[in-house]
């Protein structure tokens, strides 16, 4: 059985600071996706909502919230929260339902009405919450560790503040062509350099904003798409939603721990049973060497891409474009390497060569990325797949990547959440 599912419809509500409820944004995106699919709301068998923790009670039950806003019609509902990877995990849930035969048509929706300024954890004492701990123990806002990543790249790979600025220049140029983007004005490197320092070496224009916005997808099986007269739809071929592995050699706030697998259990807990040693078997003379078993990457973000490539049966050299989670300009360069678009430390050269710009060999963030949109947390991974869909259909207008046939999206959220989605045509 194929693991492919079809993207029958894609829709968005423009990003910005609109001052309205997230439900309104999500409903607009959902109706746009249904219209794009040529379906009525009553055709939907299941709704998967990506949750927002800032939307109050309705945000935590996003599937039912959007179903109610569209009008109760008996659809099954699911709500997913996985921080910045919520949208991709919502897609994974919808895909599982379709492949299991539980629903022919699934609507996936994510929306947010973000607060002004940088994100902070909810109030109250929560010592089991690593997000709360990094604020309480370290006083580290998100830009603080964006800055740490940037400094590491400068120290290890020789990246410069000018390289980071050029990421913003590139993404702003693409975002200026996207009607859904919040920021639609080209930016120069001089303007980036003149913006206020937020977390050295990163300046205000190196860091994404927080935004209101929404995105939605209508997903279905391939046979259903054919019955609807769409014989060659955009297909989601892989969804990776892995977690980190211990030991971790690079600290990734707010996940402060680096190792736990080899430590003793809690006081009083029984020890794990000993694993018996496997006796050695003498080799036969002339016996061939056993084949080497490739090990998956141990670093978190590269492991997300590797799992998606393996499931999709393609590699980075077969991609036409990528949508990555550019919380900061420096982090986008890191994603180039994590996705296998270049060797470790080669991200800045890829940028300087123009490879990742519109018109380059492999455009990254042709949507404009978070640099142009800002964060609307439950919606952004869905928005990435909307962009892949439009690009693979040839419907991206002035930002169209010629001949696009395969794309990947990737992002990383708090608490070990991460995702990568591969779409093909």
């Amino acid at each position: 059985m194929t693991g492919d599912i079809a993207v029958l419809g894609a829709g968005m509500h423009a990003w910005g600071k609109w001052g309205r409820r997230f439900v309104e944004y999500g409903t607009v995106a959902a109706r746009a996706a249904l219209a794009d699919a040529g379906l009525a709301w009553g055709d939907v068998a299941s709704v998967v909502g990506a949750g927002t923790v800032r939307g109050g009670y309705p945000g935590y039950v996003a599937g039912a919230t959007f179903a109610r806003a569209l009008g109760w019609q008996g659809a099954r509902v699911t709500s997913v929260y996985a921080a910045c990877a919520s949208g991709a995990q919502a897609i994974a849930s919808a895909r599982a339902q379709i492949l299991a035969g539980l629903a022919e048509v699934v609507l996936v929706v994510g929306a947010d009405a973000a607060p002004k300024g940088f994100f902070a954890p909810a109030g109250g004492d929560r010592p089991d919450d690593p997000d709360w701990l990094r604020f309480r123990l370290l006083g580290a806002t998100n830009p603080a560790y964006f800055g740490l990543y940037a400094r590491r790249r400068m120290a290890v790979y020789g990246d410069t503040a000018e390289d980071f600025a050029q990421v913003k220049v590139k993404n702003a140029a693409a975002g200026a062509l996207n009607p859904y983007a919040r920021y639609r004005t080209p930016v120069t490197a001089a303007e980036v350099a003149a913006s206020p320092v937020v977390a050295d070496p990163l300046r205000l224009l190196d860091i994404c904003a927080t935004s209101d916005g929404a995105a939605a997808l209508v997903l279905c099986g391939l046979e259903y798409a054919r019955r609807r007269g769409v014989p060659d739809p955009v297909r989601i071929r892989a969804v990776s939603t892995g977690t980190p592995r211990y030991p971790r050699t690079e600290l990734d706030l707010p996940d402060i721990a680096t190792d736990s697998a080899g430590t003793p259990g809690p006081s009083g807990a029984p020890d794990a049973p000993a694993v018996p040693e496997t006796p050695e078997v003498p080799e036969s003379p002339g016996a061939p060497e056993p084949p080497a078993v490739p090990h998956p990457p141990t670093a978190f973000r590269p492991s997300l891409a590797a799992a998606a490539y393996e499931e999709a049966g393609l590699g980075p050299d077969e991609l036409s474009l990528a949508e990555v989670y550019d919380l900061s300009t420096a982090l986008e360069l890191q994603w180039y390497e994590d996705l296998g678009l270049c060797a470790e430390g080669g991200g800045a050269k890829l940028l300087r060569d123009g490879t990742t710009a519109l018109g380059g060999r492999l455009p990254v963030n042709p949507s404009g990325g978070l640099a142009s949109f800002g964060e609307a947390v439950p919606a952004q991974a869905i928005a990435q797949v909307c962009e892949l869909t439009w690009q693979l259909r040839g419907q991206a207008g002035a930002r169209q990547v010629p001949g696009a046939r395969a794309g990947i999206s990737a992002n990383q959220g708090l608490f070990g959440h991460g995702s990568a989605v591969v779409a093909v045509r």
Side-chain angles (χ1 to χ4, degrees):
M1 182 178 69
T2 177
D4 287 8
I5 61 169
V7 181
L8 208 56
M12 291 177 64
H13 182 292
W15 257 237
K17 282 288 188 181
W18 309 113
R20 299 194 294 275
R21 298 179 307 124
F22 78 96
V23 181
E24 179 180 336
Y25 308 143
T27 303
V28 168
R31 288 177 176 150
L34 287 167
D36 185 46
L39 296 180
W41 162 230
D43 297 322
V44 173
S46 177
V47 181
V48 183
T52 169
V53 299
R54 289 176 300 281
Y57 185 73
Y60 285 104
V61 289
T65 299
F66 294 125
R68 178 178 179 274
L70 291 163
W72 296 125
Q73 46 87 314
R76 72 166 63 221
V77 293
T78 307
S79 297
V80 175
Y81 179 71
C84 298
S86 296
Q89 291 206 12
I91 292 169
S93 176
R95 181 177 181 234
Q97 291 181 28
I98 292 166
L99 295 178
L102 298 176
E104 279 195 311
V105 180
V106 182
L107 173 67
V108 178
V109 190
D112 204 1
K116 182 178 175 59
F118 301 125
F119 291 130
D125 289 351
R126 296 186 314 284
D128 291 326
D129 177 354
D131 196 26
W132 178 85
L133 284 172
R134 54 103 175 207
F135 274 80
R136 181 68 173 263
L137 299 179
L138 301 177
T141 61
N142 286 0
Y145 65 97
F146 301 162
L148 291 174
Y149 267 116
R151 274 290 166 202
R152 181 182 185 278
R153 290 198 62 84
M154 296 173 85
V156 176
Y157 304 128
D159 292 3
T160 67
E162 290 73 22
D163 291 325
F164 304 151
Q166 287 300 327
V167 175
K168 174 67 175 184
V169 172
K170 172 185 75 70
N171 289 347
L177 305 174
N178 193 331
Y180 294 106
R182 176 178 176 181
Y183 300 106
R184 300 192 58 200
T185 304
V187 171
T188 66
E191 288 173 319
V192 178
S195 64
V197 173
V198 174
D200 183 73
L202 299 179
R203 296 177 176 272
L204 186 62
L205 293 183
D206 284 302
I207 296 171
C208 74
T210 59
S211 292
D212 298 356
L217 295 165
V218 176
L219 306 176
C220 67
L222 300 182
E223 178 55 37
Y224 184 91
R226 283 190 284 269
R227 295 202 308 268
R228 297 293 305 184
V230 186
D232 184 27
V234 171
R235 304 176 184 209
I236 292 177
R237 179 153 289 174
V239 184
S240 166
T241 56
T243 54
R245 295 172 182 265
Y246 286 116
R248 303 194 66 187
T249 56
E250 293 179 25
L251 286 177
D252 196 9
L253 296 172
D255 188 4
I256 301 167
T258 59
D259 186 28
S260 71
T263 60
S267 177
D271 292 332
V275 179
E277 292 185 5
T278 303
E280 291 188 6
V281 179
E283 293 184 3
S284 302
E289 289 286 331
V293 178
H295 293 283
T298 55
F300 180 35
R301 287 187 299 271
S303 73
L304 296 170
Y309 291 142
E310 181 178 4
E311 184 180 342
L314 55 75
D317 57 331
E318 298 171 81
L319 296 174
S320 306
L321 71 150
E323 282 284 314
V324 304
Y325 192 41
D326 57 318
L327 291 164
S328 76
T329 52
L331 189 57
E332 176 168 323
L333 297 181
Q334 185 69 45
W335 277 115
Y336 297 175
E337 299 157 26
D338 296 337
L339 293 183
L341 308 184
C342 61
E344 185 175 339
K349 183 179 186 304
L350 211 63
L351 174 79
R352 295 168 194 156
D353 291 346
T355 301
T356 59
L358 286 175
R361 177 178 56 81
L362 204 162
V364 176
N365 285 336
S367 67
L370 295 183
S372 299
F373 277 75
E375 286 193 89
V377 170
Q380 48 214 28
I382 302 172
Q384 288 179 323
V385 178
C386 286
E387 180 67 16
L388 295 184
T389 298
W390 293 324
Q391 290 283 353
L392 295 176
R393 286 178 178 174
Q395 297 175 338
R399 65 185 190 282
Q400 179 65 49
V401 176
R405 302 297 296 174
I408 191 170
S409 66
N411 69 48
Q412 173 188 3
L414 295 175
F415 320 120
H417 289 126
S419 70
V421 178
V422 172
V424 299
R425 183 77 184 272

